[in-house]
Amino acid sequence: MKWSRLVLASLLALSAPSTLSACDAEAEVVAVRVASFGADGGVDMTTGAVQVPGNFANSDLFASANGGHLKLATGSDKPTTNRPVNWFIGAGGVAATFAGLDDVPDDRPDAATTQALPHAKTGNGFVLMTSRGTWFKGFIREATATQITVEYGPL
């Protein structure tokens, strides 16, 4: 029996191992998302699930009340530590603001950069490591004393 080149090429393509890793496949599926939550709320960035209550164990980014502002922190395995995050702190220790998600740099933090953002403001941007070890970039579309809206997507 003679095999055509098209049939052979198709069979070879089906039997070839995939070159996508699990992280690549996950990043391809996730698009830019928007999440809104208040104090004691958070978001799992990979699934898009808003967590109420949100905390260090179930959220990649979560909020807590801090006087008349919301404080943002990353999740972790322990309540006393955070995963790496870059809030793009500028002169005088103030977090930089951006016009939109596309304007936020892709600069990943080093492992020791884990501080929380004590006063979340509209326009703040960030890059953080999720609980799954993937990287996401985000932008605060709106921040009030009681509510935050974040736009985010995978790097």
Side-chain angles (χ1 to χ4, degrees):
M1 170 185 269
K2 278 187 156 179
W3 292 89
S4 75
R5 288 184 183 169
L6 179 60
V7 171
L8 288 174
S10 298
L11 289 173
L12 287 173
L14 289 173
S15 65
S18 172
T19 58
L20 287 178
S21 70
C23 290
D24 292 337
E26 180 178 280
E28 284 184 356
V29 172
V30 177
V32 172
R33 293 185 171 143
V34 176
S36 294
F37 49 92
D40 300 324
V43 63
D44 178 321
M45 292 186 161
T46 305
T47 66
V50 172
Q51 308 290 348
V52 179
N55 57 47
F56 72 94
N58 69 5
S59 301
D60 295 314
L61 181 68
F62 66 97
S64 57
N66 187 20
H69 310 286
L70 287 179
K71 174 182 173 181
L72 294 178
T74 60
S76 183
D77 297 331
K78 301 175 187 176
T80 57
T81 60
N82 296 326
R83 279 187 290 279
V85 61
N86 188 348
W87 298 110
F88 302 103
I89 305 300
V94 177
T97 57
F98 303 92
L101 182 62
D102 290 340
D103 295 325
V104 176
D106 292 344
D107 302 340
R108 296 178 184 181
D110 62 37
T113 307
T114 60
Q115 74 279 3
L117 181 65
H119 178 184
K121 294 184 286 191
T122 299
N124 291 146
F126 58 89
V127 171
L128 62 75
M129 178 188 284
T130 69
S131 62
R132 292 164 181 86
T134 57
W135 293 94
F136 275 73
K137 172 167 89 167
F139 169 74
I140 301 174
R141 279 191 181 178
E142 185 177 0
T144 69
T146 59
Q147 188 78 11
I148 188 161
T149 300
V150 179
E151 179 180 354
Y152 62 94
L155 281 183

